[in-house]
Amino acid sequence: MNSTAPLDVGDHQHATFPDGLDLECGVHLPSLDVAYRTYGQLSPKRDNAIVICHAFTGDQYVAETHPQTGKPGWWARMVGPGRPIDTNRFFIICMNVLGGCMGSTGPRSLKPACAEGKVERWGTDFPPITIRDMVRAQYKLVRSLGIERLFAVVGGSMGGMQVLEWAVTYPHMMLAAMPIATAPFHSAQNIAFNEVGRQAIFADPDWYGGRYWEHNVVPARGLAVARMMAHITYLSEEALTRKFGRRVRQEPKDAQAPEASLAMFGDVFEVESYLRYQGSAFVRRFDANSYLTITRAMDWFDLAAEHDGELPAAFAGTPVRFCVVSFSSDWLFPTSSSRYLVRALNQAAANVSFVEIETDKGHDAFLLDEPDFDRTVRGFLCGVADHAGLA
Ligand SMILES: CC(=O)SCCNC(=O)CCNC(=O)[C@H](O)C(C)(C)COP(=O)(O)OP(=O)(O)OC[C@H]1O[C@@H](n2cnc3c(N)ncnc32)[C@H](O)[C@@H]1OP(=O)(O)O
Ligand SMILES: N[C@@H](CCO)C(=O)O
């Protein structure tokens, strides 16, 4: 995993808000870019818009070829004509989160008002942000498209946190919410995993205190290790066993060589090779400072914090219809977190349904082919749309 030169922010469709954004930390961002993609047509009544919130390292390229990786959109299976989130019926908006590295304002963006001719990135000077800040940036983009009320907000993992934050912050601006594989607060275990990832980045000699671009490098080894560790949490023991078991990738070339019997280094097991591949691929598409900024935003997420720990109070009087989805083998955002959320919604007398999908694919099951999950998404959105008389 060699260091590579820092990637450019790239040229992504975006809206610029010159009035910036007041952040929860008290800092005013002087200017705000929100990078986004849309799919389908906004109806004449402007009542068919769905915001899809991406997960931690996702982006706005939900249903089209990714411009950097050349891979299909991360939810191409789910979003499109005739698909569970049907673009023949709904108008889809997906935005790169504030703090990300795919065109929305984030640590990789240029600092405003930097000296003439001097390229200065935010880097570690980028202010700490919250999930609510991300959602408030998205709100600005939605309003700028002339949309006063969303049909729904949908998302998995950190995307699900944004869904919940939308419902709490703008309950009258949305009809339905679908938080998937998520939780109303980040658990101690998840904060702990995030911290290991951050420490891996800090330990990389190419980190340079977060100013790596000045040295034309990125902390590739640290970022890759962070991703390798995190990627394990996105799967399950069953999935890893099914994919790789204890399969060995390479036999030692010279069985007589003293190092052969040790076989300490190199891609010995298939699962190691897989994780190294995932780590390397990640480094080519993600920024280390965004990794830090976004993991911290997740860590701070706690919907009950403003309500003396009483989660139902966060949803008091909500008019939003919720469908909460979990996956049976997800140990990062386990079903118990979803049940806790559902109980709080019930206590708030909210309109809520709950589905646990049986699968051995772990947390990232929401990104994979799960027919029951697809049926759940389609059923909920169509049901609410039919009930609301949406064309
Ligand atoms: C949610 C959002 O908003 S977007 C962000 C989501 N995207 C990501 O997280 C991207 C990285 N994550 C992944 O690829 C996840 O594993 C998933 C869940 C998205 C995809 O899962 P799957 O389809 O089961 O793919 P899998 O995890 O098996 O990985 C396949 C890749 O590993 C490679 N691979 C598989 N086995 C090995 C091995 N033994 N050694 C090396 N590479 C291997 C494959 O060649 C394939 O490479 P490719 O992606 O370049 O085609
Ligand atoms: N694997 C997905 C989900 C993690 O929560 C991502 O990287 O965004």
Side-chain angles (χ1 to χ4, degrees), residues 53-59 71 74 227 231 234-235 243-244 249 270-271 273-274 277-278 285 364 366-368:
C53 303
H54 69 72
F56 171 22
T57 73
D59 52 47
K71 293 190 185 240
W74 58 269
R227 182 61 170 183
H231 195 78
Y234 303 151
L235 303 177
K243 278 171 182 281
F244 308 109
R249 186 169 172 80
E270 285 289 355
V271 67
S273 160
Y274 169 75
Y277 175 81
Q278 293 289 345
R285 72 175 177 88
D364 267 356
F366 74 98
L367 298 169
L368 297 168

Side-chain angles (χ1 to χ4, degrees), residues 169-241:
T169 308
Y170 303 111
H172 297 287
M173 212 192 137
M174 53 197 281
L175 193 54
M178 195 165 209
I180 301 160
T182 194
F185 62 91
H186 219 211
S187 68
Q189 177 175 260
N190 289 358
I191 295 170
F193 282 130
N194 276 351
E195 175 60 4
V196 175
R198 289 188 287 261
Q199 290 300 330
I201 293 168
F202 298 150
D204 190 319
D206 285 339
W207 164 242
Y208 288 110
R211 303 186 71 82
Y212 38 87
W213 67 90
E214 291 178 354
H215 304 263
N216 207 33
V217 293
V218 294
R221 286 158 291 187
L223 186 57
V225 169
R227 182 61 170 183
M228 290 166 73
M229 191 274 303
H231 195 78
I232 299 168
T233 71
Y234 303 151
L235 303 177
S236 68
E237 185 181 3
E238 293 85 350
L240 282 175
T241 303

Side-chain angles (χ1 to χ4, degrees), residues 340-360:
Y340 178 73
L341 169 63
V342 171
R343 276 197 293 273
L345 286 164
N346 278 329
Q347 273 180 266
N351 183 332
V352 55
S353 61
F354 170 54
V355 179
E356 183 190 41
I357 306 291
E358 278 297 325
T359 174
D360 75 353

Side-chain angles (χ1 to χ4, degrees), residues 4-26:
T4 50
L7 292 171
D8 229 344
V9 177
D11 187 18
H12 304 278
Q13 176 193 358
H14 67 276
T16 298
F17 300 93
D19 56 334
L21 187 71
D22 287 326
L23 301 174
E24 279 205 273
C25 67

